[in-house]
Amino acid sequence: MDIEEIIDIFTTRFLNVKTNNFIFTNVESMAFLPKIPPKCQITTGDTALDLGISEALNIQIDLSKVKVKDILSFVLQYLGENTKMDFTQRLDLLRFQGQLHNLNIIVQLLFYNLDSLTREEQMLLNEMYYFYSDYFNVSSFIPGDYFQTHFLKDNRVLDNRENYTKIKVNGTLNLVRNKKI
């Protein structure tokens, strides 16, 4: 898969009830991020997932500038809401999902510059991957082979069959799917 195919993932997507989260690894340059459109046309094949929403907003979040605990507030401000919502635990994601439901909006959160996160911040961010929502999904672009940790609190672990799809970016920005961690 080349860089245009990465961009296509965030231009038109089929959402499913399993997982819609991605971890893009070995990303040498984030220069392609401005080419990702602000909106993505979405379709679903499952009536349980059909919310009557035909597009998702692609929201890019630079984690060297936005603290993990401020992600939810950042997204809500991006959507024009003045609601402050700290992200300190899994329960906050339920409240966030409820707010997106009330707004009738689906968002795709695109994270980059994760290398500045502490291990505890990474574990908190992993909660977003672990939490399934019809109203948001997450993708991360990282230069290394993997997150600092795939663990969460309470001895839970991210599972690539349930929580995300890992895609390794080759140096030429060709993508190779990698099912194993």
Side-chain angles (χ1 to χ4, degrees):
M1 194 181 281
D2 63 25
I3 195 64
E4 294 304 319
E5 290 172 299
I6 294 174
I7 294 167
D8 285 347
I9 288 173
F10 300 104
T11 302
T12 303
R13 283 189 71 181
F14 175 80
L15 299 179
N16 61 60
V17 295
K18 201 64 156 168
T19 179
N20 296 297
N21 303 321
F22 289 110
I23 299 172
F24 295 93
T25 65
N26 206 34
V27 180
E28 294 177 4
S29 169
M30 304 297 167
F32 68 93
L33 289 175
K35 295 181 182 179
I36 294 176
K39 293 182 181 178
C40 177
Q41 298 302 309
I42 57 172
T43 56
T44 62
D46 188 328
T47 55
L49 183 65
D50 188 8
L51 305 172
I53 303 171
S54 62
E55 65 185 20
L57 299 177
N58 293 326
I59 302 174
Q60 297 181 26
I61 302 173
D62 181 346
L63 290 177
S64 69
K65 296 178 181 175
V66 177
K67 294 181 182 194
V68 173
K69 73 174 190 68
D70 296 331
I71 289 171
L72 305 181
S73 291
F74 177 87
V75 172
L76 292 172
Q77 287 175 358
Y78 180 91
L79 298 174
E81 297 293 306
N82 290 325
T83 306
K84 178 148 176 58
M85 189 178 294
D86 285 341
F87 176 36
T88 59
Q89 59 184 333
R90 185 176 17 173
L91 181 60
D92 298 326
L93 296 174
L94 285 169
R95 290 184 20 230
F96 180 63
Q97 176 181 255
Q99 187 76 14
L100 294 174
H101 170 77
N102 292 341
L103 295 169
N104 202 35
I105 293 175
I106 296 174
V107 296
Q108 299 187 120
L109 307 178
L110 312 178
F111 298 114
Y112 61 102
N113 288 332
L114 280 74
D115 49 336
S116 63
L117 299 181
T118 66
R119 184 174 171 87
E120 291 76 26
E121 290 171 325
Q122 180 69 65
M123 290 172 74
L124 182 57
L125 182 69
N126 289 352
E127 292 287 351
M128 296 187 96
Y129 277 90
Y130 196 80
F131 185 90
Y132 173 79
S133 175
D134 293 339
Y135 291 93
F136 71 88
N137 61 64
V138 294
S139 295
S140 294
F141 299 93
I142 60 173
D145 289 333
Y146 199 61
F147 288 160
Q148 291 179 34
T149 182
H150 55 277
F151 286 96
L152 298 89
K153 294 180 181 181
D154 304 324
N155 293 320
R156 292 171 293 131
V157 180
L158 291 180
D159 181 344
N160 65 334
R161 296 165 299 175
E162 298 287 329
N163 307 127
Y164 66 90
T165 299
K166 181 180 175 185
I167 299 177
K168 184 176 181 181
V169 179
N170 291 333
T172 59
L173 289 177
N174 291 326
L175 295 178
V176 177
R177 284 205 177 260
N178 184 353
K179 291 286 184 182
K180 297 195 181 218
I181 298 178

